[in-house]
Amino acid sequence: MSFDRDVDLHTLAGLRRRVEALTADRATRHRDDLVTGVLRAAVEAVDGADGASLTRTDPNADAPDRATDDEIAALDAVQISVGQGPCIEAADHPPECGLVVAADLGGADHDRWPDFAEHAVAAGCRSVLSLRLGVEERHRSSLNLYGRRHHAFDATAQVAALLFGVPAALLLHGADHADDLQHALGSRDLIGQAKGILVERFGVHGDHAFAMLVESSQNANMKLVDVARWLVEETVANRSHEAPTTS
């Protein structure tokens, strides 16, 4: 493909400003706010986009899908439900460039994903760009841009989406791993509290207390952290009931 140099420079300058704004905004330190900012910036950066979404196709993903409005969220949900659509293809089986283009869901692209296309056209959506972001199993995802017009995304818009996807993927990758780290730290604290309760209750050493938690986890077919959480919550509740009341 060939592009006019001035158009490319203008597009790059706009993308740079939006990425700088995302990284400078302190609100984006929180993952949910970051995703909202990324979606908003994507709509502003790519001509033809009327809305956007971030879709995760792994049913065990910790983070939920997000969209700029309820109609787009519903179209994402349809794709997940019927197991077809550009967001599914981009996340799970993307082309080499990572970008899936649906130029006209009411026309030539209808037969690629017929079940989804019917819902999309009925909702007033004719074009979709879907770009793979996360590649790890638990963070597998796509950034999706929705357009009301058919052929809403020309070649320049497609390049803009690809360029925007690079910093967006890096930002979301960092946010996902920060969440994973925070979750791991929280789990460690819970397990530590549960070990302390068992040490106090049964007079055992820390290693023995941990072994008791592991055995309970296996017997109950529960995650270790869930067993620890249950024990801590039960102990706190019992202590609150046993606390003397003052008159």
Side-chain angles (χ1 to χ4, degrees), residues 41-52:
V43 173
E44 294 172 353
V46 180
D47 288 341
D50 296 303

Side-chain angles (χ1 to χ4, degrees), residues 166-239:
V166 175
L170 291 173
L171 286 169
L172 292 170
H173 176 79
D176 282 335
H177 281 272
D179 275 4
D180 286 345
L181 178 59
Q182 189 64 38
H183 180 73
L185 290 173
S187 298
R188 187 184 68 177
D189 289 344
L190 270 174
I191 292 170
Q193 291 178 54
K195 283 173 57 179
I197 291 169
L198 294 177
V199 167
E200 178 185 357
R201 184 176 297 178
F202 297 105
V204 296
H205 294 295
D207 289 345
H208 189 181
F210 183 75
M212 292 171 68
L213 288 173
V214 171
E215 183 179 2
S216 296
S217 170
Q218 294 171 343
N219 291 339
N221 195 25
M222 293 171 61
K223 292 181 179 179
L224 182 63
V225 67
D226 291 334
V227 172
R229 181 180 294 107
W230 174 84
L231 178 59
V232 170
E233 291 176 351
E234 181 200 43
T235 302
V236 170
N238 288 340
R239 286 175 178 172

Side-chain angles (χ1 to χ4, degrees), residues 73-88:
L75 289 178
D76 273 14
V78 167
Q79 293 181 74
I80 297 296
S81 175
V82 300
Q84 64 173 237
C87 80
I88 303 291

